[in-house]
Structure formats: structure tokens, C-alpha cells
Amino acid sequence: MARGTLDVRICGGRNLSNPNKEGKICCIVYYKDQQKRTEAIYCDGPDPEWNETLLFTIADHVEELKVRVHDGDYVTEEEVGHCDINIEGLLRDGGENRIEPTSYDVWRNNEGNYGNVTVELHFHPE
């Protein structure tokens, strides 16, 4: 079982903004019972850039991060897409590991691919 800290850097997205409106957009990342969010940034096009690092404590073997892209309007905070990232290989040997910035497909309900989000991962063992 790997124990340590996982740095999750949400770099940015491509084709994520709602084509019908401008506004704020953010990412919420879930790992086990932990939840962290990026700052909601104003996006007037399809390619938001967060470049924000979120820190998670790794103490149990959970193989997946869940990334949810949300309308950053805190009144409705509607999910506009989601992706799951398998981190089993990153944690497997319990040593320091990194996954360079990688683009992951974002899905929107049953409507198919909604664009992508680029994420960099870095695991620091205890």
C-alpha cells in the first residue's frame, strides 16, 4: 500500500466551455473521501487554463481519481463533463513517480466526448 502525497496539477482544458454561454469554469477532483477544487476561472472560449496544483493524502489503495468539470457559477454549479484517471501504475511500487502532462477525454452525460483536460501527476512517498 502506497502512502504519501499526490500532487495533481490541472493544467487546462480543450473544447470544455459551454458553447451556449460564457462564464466561469472549474475542476473538482475526488480521491477516496477527499475533494479539492480549482479556482473557478472566467472562460470566454473553449480552452480554459488553470495551472493549479491540488494536494491529496494517499493512505489507502484507491486506483482512480475522478475529475469533474463544472460550471463555476456557484448558484447552479452544473457538471459539464467528467473523466476518471487510473493511478494504479503511479502508486504500484510505492516510490516517487510522475506522469507528465497527459490529455484525458472528458465525457458529458450520454452525449459523448466533450473535449479534454490535461493533468500532471506526481506521487511523493512518505
Side-chain angles (χ1 to χ4, degrees):
M1 170 174 44
R3 298 173 79 78
T5 302
L6 179 63
D7 300 349
V8 178
R9 185 167 74 94
I10 305 295
C11 303
R14 297 294 171 258
N15 301 316
L16 292 179
S17 66
N18 186 334
N20 299 322
K21 68 176 192 175
E22 296 177 1
K24 291 189 174 186
I25 189 168
C26 70
C27 285
I28 303 174
V29 180
Y30 300 87
Y31 177 79
K32 198 176 173 193
D33 61 349
Q34 300 172 66
Q35 172 186 314
K36 311 280 174 130
R37 72 172 50 231
T38 65
E39 181 177 336
I41 60 170
Y42 182 77
C43 186
D44 63 354
D47 303 330
E49 296 292 333
W50 289 281
N51 289 317
E52 192 169 335
T53 300
L54 309 172
L55 304 177
F56 292 85
T57 300
I58 306 299
D60 293 316
H61 187 71
V62 175
E63 300 173 353
E64 196 170 68
L65 284 176
K66 297 184 182 298
V67 179
R68 304 296 183 248
V69 181
H70 281 257
D71 177 339
D73 176 0
Y74 289 105
V75 176
T76 60
E77 198 158 296
E78 165 190 7
E79 181 179 304
V80 294
H82 62 274
C83 69
D84 296 331
I85 300 173
N86 184 313
I87 60 172
E88 180 181 17
L90 185 71
L91 306 177
R92 183 176 302 138
D93 67 7
E96 183 166 351
N97 285 309
R98 176 184 302 272
I99 296 176
E100 296 300 323
T102 302
S103 179
Y104 297 93
D105 288 338
V106 173
W107 301 93
R108 183 174 185 152
N109 302 322
N110 296 326
E111 299 173 24
N113 186 293
Y114 183 61
N116 61 62
V117 65
T118 301
V119 179
E120 179 179 13
L121 303 169
H122 188 186
F123 177 68
H124 308 272
E126 284 186 332

